[in-house]
Amino acid sequence: MTESLKTTPLHALHVELGAKMVPFAGYDMPVQYPAGVLAEHLHTRDAAGLFDVSHMGQAFLKGPDHAAVSAAIEALVPGDIRDLALGAIRYTLLLNEKGGILDDLMVTRTAKDGVLFLVVNAACKDADFAHIEKHLPAGVALQRLPERALIALQGPKAADVFARFAPEAATQAFMTGMDMNVAGIPCMVSRSGYTGEDGYEISVPEADAVALTKKLLAEAEVKPIGLGARDSLRLEAGLCLYGHDIDETTTPVEGALTWTIGKRRREEANFPGAKIILGQIANGAARKRVGLLPEGKAPAREGTEITDAKGRVIGVVTSGGYGPSLGGPIAMGYVEAGSARVDTAVELMVRGKGRPAKVASMPFVKKRFHKPAN
């Protein structure tokens, strides 16, 4: 089975480190290391975890100037890309004509005029890039970057560790990206994260990926982290996993992502699905993504039906598991708008029996993203 799977430049290192490898988005990826998911999760919350996310899609969108490339991508997403400052990152969404989400992605305005750096999800990258290319105007082109690896250093001690190899990263602001040398290697470094912790994503030439990863892992605070803990960390942070919590059938309003649509874009109403989405903003959507806190110890997994007190099905769980930082089960899912208020009592149908739960606010743990001094 693994013969047909793609591998990242760090694959041999994962095996050397004793990782349990599993198929994920067409790649053979580490789900955990010998310490186990729980230990990896807690280590990332306490110190610094290193993740291989090289399976994700990286590309440059290039044109004659920023006005041209921002207009090209704004035709496909609802985010404000035109007004991004140099080095700033915008989380946004590729939409279809019905307002459904084709993927979520990060867009960075690079220091070079007319160049945006895009990072999309692994399972969607081929479809995403084809979709973008199909709709580009003359003079704007997409340059895929398969020759680059991507690693993420996350956790409260990530900044201290990373500054040893890239001193200028210590003052880098949250949701910004910049070119810098990391241990003498030219990299593109962003400061965002998928864990609810401070951290960096380092886009590095694949030829240098193993050497840089080994240098970071040699630091006392750093341990390798697999997909298992990556999933529990992002769930605690209330962040969506594409294909589970958001997909082509969900709109930004339903997905509790209305904040991604800025004032100018709402006024111009010139993004895909704008009529439907703006109608939901004005009048409300029939359903909404919410956090869920089940009673007891057993987690409620994806696909679990959510009912009201009378047993009527009002929604479904889209992500669920054990929250190590909370010491109990957590979940997120979609419920009818009338049941979306925090603390609303619901039941989760686990193995045919109703299990008490309540709607909860997200994130489940306090985010500790870096905030630069004013």
Side-chain angles (χ1 to χ4, degrees):
M1 183 176 182
T2 57
E3 292 179 3
S4 63
L5 295 175
K6 299 175 184 178
T7 58
T8 74
L10 300 179
H11 185 271
L13 180 58
H14 297 314
V15 175
E16 179 185 328
L17 293 171
K20 178 183 178 182
M21 308 297 290
V22 299
F24 181 80
Y27 284 78
D28 195 31
M29 295 292 291
V31 67
Q32 67 180 70
Y33 297 87
V37 173
L38 178 62
E40 292 172 26
H41 178 113
L42 295 175
H43 181 83
T44 305
R45 287 271 182 256
D46 292 336
L50 191 67
F51 303 76
D52 180 10
V53 287
S54 302
H55 55 317
M56 298 182 74
Q58 303 179 70
F60 286 132
L61 189 65
K62 294 183 172 182
D65 51 35
H66 180 66
V69 291
S70 61
I73 196 67
E74 281 192 357
L76 304 175
V77 305
D80 183 349
I81 310 301
R82 186 192 74 185
D83 297 326
L84 272 182
L86 286 174
I89 301 173
R90 181 83 73 219
Y91 170 81
T92 192
L93 309 161
L94 278 175
L95 300 176
N96 61 28
E97 292 303 320
K98 294 182 179 180
I101 301 170
L102 298 173
D103 198 9
D104 55 348
L105 69 157
M106 292 288 199
V107 179
T108 305
R109 182 178 179 181
T110 72
K112 187 173 181 181
D113 189 36
V115 180
L116 298 174
F117 177 49
L118 313 182
V119 179
V120 302
N121 284 302
C124 308
K125 64 182 177 183
D126 292 335
D128 287 354
F129 290 155
H131 176 75
I132 292 170
E133 288 174 325
K134 179 181 177 181
H135 293 89
L136 290 179
V140 179
L142 188 76
Q143 178 189 345
R144 307 186 193 201
L145 302 171
E147 73 284 358
R148 300 193 71 86
L150 190 65
I151 56 178
L153 184 67
Q154 303 283 305
K157 296 183 180 178
D160 289 342
V161 171
F162 198 54
R164 298 168 197 160
F165 302 92
E168 60 190 309
T171 56
Q172 184 177 0
F174 176 59
M175 290 299 281
T176 65
M178 58 193 296
D179 293 330
M180 66 180 74
N181 285 328
V182 182
I185 301 167
C187 298
M188 295 182 289
V189 178
S190 61
R191 192 169 192 174
S192 59
Y194 192 57
T195 60
E197 298 293 341
D198 188 15
Y200 303 87
E201 299 76 40
I202 307 111
S203 177
V204 55
E206 64 177 351
D208 299 307
V210 171
L212 179 57
T213 300
K214 286 184 174 180
K215 287 181 179 180
L216 291 170
L217 287 174
E219 299 302 299
E221 302 95 330
V222 183
K223 290 184 179 179
I225 311 297
L227 293 174
R230 186 168 186 257
D231 190 52
S232 59
L233 287 158
R234 69 92 194 168
L235 180 55
E236 286 187 346
L239 299 173
C240 296
L241 178 61
Y242 188 81
H244 299 260
D245 309 299
I246 50 174
D247 58 28
E248 292 186 37
T249 71
T250 55
T251 69
V253 182
E254 294 170 332
L257 297 170
T258 307
W259 58 269
T260 65
I261 310 172
K263 180 181 179 182
R264 175 178 65 84
R265 301 308 313 277
R266 298 186 195 194
E267 292 173 346
E268 293 175 352
N270 57 358
F271 53 85
K275 184 176 180 180
I276 294 172
I277 291 169
L278 294 174
Q280 290 181 342
I281 291 175
N283 305 311
R287 59 176 181 158
K288 186 177 181 181
R289 179 175 64 93
V290 298
L292 297 161
L293 285 176
E295 289 185 9
K297 294 293 184 181
R301 301 296 183 183
E302 178 180 358
T304 299
E305 287 186 338
I306 306 169
T307 72
D308 61 16
K310 297 181 180 179
R312 185 175 65 87
V313 176
I314 58 170
V316 64
V317 171
T318 53
S319 285
Y322 180 74
S325 305
L326 284 77
I330 55 175
M332 67 171 74
Y334 285 81
V335 297
E336 294 175 358
S339 298
R341 188 183 298 274
V342 171
D343 290 331
T344 298
V346 297
E347 291 197 346
L348 307 177
M349 298 305 294
V350 179
R351 297 199 263 307
K353 294 183 179 181
R355 182 173 160 207
K358 66 177 181 178
V359 174
S361 60
M362 294 182 289
F364 295 100
V365 296
K366 185 179 180 181
K367 293 181 182 180
R368 294 187 283 190
F369 291 136
H370 170 74
K371 293 183 179 179
N374 294 327

